[in-house]
Amino acid sequence: MTALNRSQAAEAAEDDGSNGSDNPTLAAVVAARFNRRDLLRGTLAVGAISAVVGPRALAAAEPAANPFPFVELPAGSDERHHVAAGHDAEVLIRWGDPVLPGAPAFDPRRQTPEAQSKQFGYNNDFIGYFPMPGAADPAQHGLLAVNHEYTNEELMFPGLGRQDGKTAFAGMSRDLVDIEMAAHGGSVIEVRRVDGRWQVVPDSRYARRITATTPMEITGPAAGSERLRTKADPDGRRVHGMINNCAGGTTPWGTWLTCEENINYYFQGKLPEGHGEARNHKRLGIPGNLYAWGRFHDRFDLGAEPNEPNRFGWVVEIDPFDPNAVPKKRTAMGRFKHEGAAGIVAKDGRYVVFQGDDERFDYVYRFVTEAKVDTADRQANRDILDRGTLSVARFDADGRGTWLPLVFGQGPLTPENGFRDQADVLVETRRAADLVGATKMDRPEDVEANPKTGKVYVMLTNNVRRKADQVDAANPRPDNRFGHIVEITPDSGEHTAPGFAWEVLVRCGDPAIAAVGATFSSATTKDGWFGMPDNCAVDGLGRLWISTDGNSAGRTGRTDGIWAMETEGPGRGTGKHFFQVPTGAEMCGPYFTPDDTTFFVAVQHPGEADEEDPKAEPATFEKPATRWPDFDPNLPPRPAVVTITKRGGGRVGT
Ligand code: FEO
Ligand code: CA
Ligand code: CA
Ligand code: CA
């Protein structure tokens, strides 16, 4: 038995915030729901086959042009990264590289909080690219905003090994905790492509580090709520830092949305007996006890600051073009374990943001602004995310679905159920969603709209706790180890519409193993299937690209990476392998330049041990599973951003 690595321990801890509501899981519904269009076409007889090979493969009428003509990358696992032939994949910036002027050179044996606060943080996740206004070529000069989700102290610090509740954080010191806090948050860097190669512009006036201590403003309906007040902030409107920022989004007005996910990990201690926040904290798994921060900083100790957790778990909006802009936690968008916040402008001009709450049996959300996006005046959009309607999805067995509004005073969201105002609804978004009857999903990660087709893709990464009697139409497999993707089609093509149709695009896993029940199209090769979809990107042609989290040599015979996914026509449901991360890593951040000539990806936690490999030793600073990207015996592995371009120019993946 090997010890759980950091990301696996984190996953195990997600249990703590499990959904205890009794929302129906539609146990009576047949496990395999056949494709709606097949039903309408009367082709149900082929359903049993289509469940295995994918309905669109069967429905093939005529061959269409191949949307992904690149040569597929063989799937496997080793210490390096790999990209499909004809492409270049180069490391742009690594943990410890300079971001701010005066940042010292990276020295893993002489880390300090001061150095880390000027250097690129750990575990890069979301990447957003913002073209530089006035640039000669907006696809070759811009800003990158990058999330730093969390820290792996066993890989970061010499001689430490895993630090958690089991080891009572025995090796942690104030200095190490402060380095961790400085390695969280995000970075803004200016990047430019010179002679075909991307580089970070040194000493840029836009360069910024945001950490777990950066002053931020709390805005929207929950700002000032007594439940957000602390000794340090008696008004409930100012907070220090953002934590566990996983994925996010970019807005049409040029801001970065960065999403706080597993915020429970950072809290320890006990609430005072009979405290009113007990139920609320339990629903989010607080305290999670995965970090030692509460030992050195009272605000992460529930006994000292019972309300501090309510100041985390939000979407944070940051203007990357103004390094002095105060980041704003937009409470109108709800409080839960946000994966991402990808948006699209609706036909009527309002902004629609889709959000997943990444926990087993939690929900898919949609936020619609009250105001329209002002395309002429950037400043006019400054606070439009403070007013709007948050809704949660119910997926019905007949392929229909409804967005259920979470509005104080409507339905069960009343004082009888403990909600005094909209602030209460937002602080306890999950409980509000439980009460309106949302559908419990298999860990919703990225949710992203395709501007070309109007469809919305929901990555459901896995849920090994779903039992056979909890299966429902939208979550059709018990013990869902490999996840699936749901496709939403909004009524009348309106992203603001209350209703939608939906179907399962693909059930993931190895199609060669019948018991897995995967539904990739029959055109998918042995390299083209994947498990555990996590993030996604839609390129300028409307093509869907998926990044994964949880594949490994032991689990799926392949590391994580990027797979192309056909969504339309006869090839629908075909996966194709494009990029492979080094062993132990997960793939994050997929983001294209506006012309698709560069694909930015983030390699997160390289060097972790493969938990499913019985021979794998626990990974440490001294003995990581890889020393990517430097392969220097004196350096630990380093999370890094990678640029992918097509050799000779042109659109990536063609
Ligand atoms: Fe931080 Fe849902 O992955
Ligand atoms: Ca992650
Ligand atoms: Ca993720
Ligand atoms: Ca994940």
Side-chain angles (χ1 to χ4, degrees):
M1 280 285 288
T2 57
L4 289 182
N5 64 39
R6 169 63 89 185
S7 60
Q8 285 151 346
E11 181 152 310
E14 273 160 11
D15 223 11
D16 300 337
S18 59
N19 185 341
S21 76
D22 57 1
N23 286 1
T25 52
L26 304 174
V29 177
V30 283
R33 189 180 73 82
F34 296 109
N35 182 276
R36 270 185 75 247
R37 276 181 233 168
D38 289 336
L39 284 168
L40 296 173
R41 286 197 205 106
T43 52
L44 184 56
V46 300
I49 307 164
S50 73
V52 177
V53 301
R56 290 307 189 287
L58 287 173
E62 57 188 74
N66 180 0
F68 294 110
F70 65 86
V71 177
E72 183 163 45
L73 176 70
S77 168
D78 62 39
E79 295 191 22
R80 296 179 179 270
H81 70 271
H82 302 275
V83 67
H87 293 80
D88 292 308
E90 297 195 348
V91 172
L92 175 70
I93 188 168
R94 305 157 295 187
W95 167 50
D97 283 341
V99 171
L100 295 181
F106 179 60
D107 182 346
R109 287 176 177 76
R110 285 202 192 82
Q111 298 180 51
T112 65
E114 294 70 34
Q116 178 63 82
S117 65
K118 294 178 176 171
Q119 297 166 331
F120 199 62
Y122 206 74
N123 274 344
N124 33 216
D125 200 300
F126 176 79
I127 301 171
Y129 176 80
F130 300 88
M132 188 63 70
D137 182 345
Q140 306 216 19
H141 184 197
L143 300 181
L144 282 190
V146 183
N147 290 0
H148 300 301
E149 186 183 15
Y150 68 104
T151 47
N152 288 64
E153 65 291 311
E154 80 282 12
L155 293 172
M156 291 172 69
F157 303 127
L160 206 61
R162 262 301 294 284
Q163 297 291 310
D164 53 24
K166 279 185 215 134
T167 65
F169 303 108
M172 294 305 288
S173 62
R174 166 86 192 238
D175 242 24
L176 291 178
V177 163
D178 289 353
I179 293 168
E180 288 188 321
M181 293 177 77
H184 277 66
S187 293
V188 177
I189 53 174
E190 184 179 350
V191 293
R192 188 193 279 271
R193 198 171 177 194
V194 180
D195 297 331
R197 297 188 71 171
W198 283 95
Q199 46 191 247
V200 178
V201 176
D203 300 332
S204 166
R205 69 185 178 94
Y206 299 103
R208 185 170 192 187
R209 273 306 322 280
I210 288 153
T211 72
T213 59
T214 303
M216 305 198 171
E217 190 181 335
I218 299 166
T219 71
S225 160
E226 65 184 50
R227 301 176 70 177
L228 270 63
R229 297 180 195 165
T230 64
K231 290 189 210 76
D233 176 27
D235 294 331
R237 293 176 184 276
R238 299 279 292 180
V239 59
H240 283 101
M242 58 184 198
I243 47 178
N244 211 269
N245 291 69
C246 193
T250 55
T251 64
W253 55 96
T255 62
W256 166 27
L257 301 182
T258 170
C259 298
E260 296 181 313
E261 193 189 32
N262 295 300
I263 57 127
N264 54 320
Y265 297 168
Y266 302 86
F267 294 92
Q268 57 179 244
K270 259 191 134 125
L271 278 180
E273 194 62 32
H275 196 277
E277 295 295 343
R279 172 174 63 180
N280 172 31
H281 289 353
K282 184 163 187 283
R283 185 67 177 82
L284 275 134
I286 297 165
N289 282 316
L290 270 183
Y291 288 90
W293 298 10
R295 176 178 297 173
F296 304 101
H297 297 278
D298 267 1
R299 65 187 177 115
F300 294 104
D301 181 336
L302 296 182
E305 276 300 359
N307 285 345
E308 186 74 6
N310 290 342
R311 296 146 62 80
F312 296 89
W314 305 104
V315 175
V316 186
E317 184 176 20
I318 299 173
D319 182 350
F321 291 100
D322 177 4
N324 298 313
V326 176
K328 293 177 176 176
K329 296 201 175 187
R330 300 294 188 189
T331 65
M333 301 173 77
R335 175 172 173 268
F336 43 88
K337 293 183 180 177
H338 293 266
E339 173 71 19
I344 188 164
V345 179
K347 283 181 188 163
D348 67 8
R350 290 181 287 167
Y351 198 53
V352 180
V353 186
F354 297 100
Q355 313 180 82
D357 181 357
D358 183 5
E359 183 130 24
R360 298 178 185 91
F361 303 109
D362 264 291
Y363 306 129
V364 174
Y365 293 87
R366 182 187 75 176
F367 179 76
V368 182
T369 59
E370 196 176 284
K372 294 176 180 178
V373 176
D374 189 329
T375 52
D377 177 9
R378 181 172 191 247
Q379 283 305 312
N381 304 304
R382 199 178 52 203
D383 293 319
I384 69 169
L385 295 176
D386 281 341
R387 294 168 71 93
T389 304
L390 180 68
S391 307
V392 64
R394 191 186 71 211
F395 295 84
D396 295 327
D398 63 357
R400 293 283 310 156
T402 306
W403 292 107
L404 306 160
L406 301 174
V407 177
F408 171 70
Q410 291 187 16
L413 308 182
T414 58
E416 293 80 74
N417 286 314
F419 300 103
R420 295 161 304 175
D421 52 21
Q422 185 65 13
D424 280 345
V425 170
L426 295 167
V427 169
E428 293 186 78
T429 300
R430 282 183 167 184
R431 192 167 70 84
D434 294 342
L435 288 167
V436 301
T439 301
K440 297 176 174 183
M441 309 299 286
D442 287 347
R443 294 188 57 198
E445 304 253 28
D446 261 5
V447 184
E448 197 142 336
N450 183 335
K452 293 277 181 204
T453 62
K455 291 173 181 167
V456 179
Y457 297 99
V458 185
M459 306 296 127
L460 297 154
T461 197
N462 62 65
N463 181 358
V464 292
R465 299 228 168 79
R466 189 176 291 273
K467 303 281 189 293
D469 65 355
Q470 295 173 308
V471 156
D472 64 32
N475 301 276
R477 285 187 292 187
D479 185 27
N480 182 6
R481 295 182 62 199
F482 303 107
H484 59 289
I485 299 172
V486 162
E487 180 189 73
I488 289 173
T489 305
D491 285 354
S492 315
E494 297 278 10
H495 287 294
T496 55
F500 57 88
W502 67 269
E503 55 188 75
V504 174
L505 171 64
V506 65
R507 303 183 196 181
C508 303
D510 185 352
I513 303 170
V516 168
T519 60
F520 287 95
S521 85
S522 58
T524 305
T525 73
K526 64 175 177 33
D527 304 308
W529 64 267
F530 55 85
M532 291 71 83
D534 189 331
N535 299 113
C536 64
V538 176
D539 70 15
L541 296 175
R543 302 183 302 170
L544 181 63
W545 301 80
I546 289 157
S547 67
T548 64
D549 168 17
N551 294 270
S552 68
R555 193 174 288 171
T556 52
R558 58 205 60 207
T559 62
D560 284 320
I562 299 278
W563 276 265
M565 183 83 219
E566 287 191 53
T567 58
E568 303 297 319
R572 179 175 160 96
T574 305
K576 190 167 182 179
H577 190 215
F578 181 72
F579 183 84
Q580 177 177 315
V581 298
T583 184
E586 106 180 49
M587 181 94 277
C588 303
Y591 203 95
F592 286 94
T593 51
D595 61 358
D596 302 330
T597 53
T598 298
F599 195 13
F600 297 101
V601 295
V603 174
Q604 194 185 65
H605 59 79
E608 281 194 349
D610 182 354
E611 218 268 308
E612 308 254 336
D613 175 359
K615 297 193 299 294
E617 294 181 56
T620 61
F621 180 93
E622 289 74 19
K623 275 192 143 178
T626 177
R627 290 190 189 276
W628 186 92
D630 304 292
F631 297 101
D632 178 335
N634 295 311
L635 291 178
R638 298 205 263 172
V641 171
V642 171
T643 61
I644 302 173
T645 51
K646 195 174 178 204
R647 210 165 292 159
R651 202 182 286 269
V652 167
T654 57

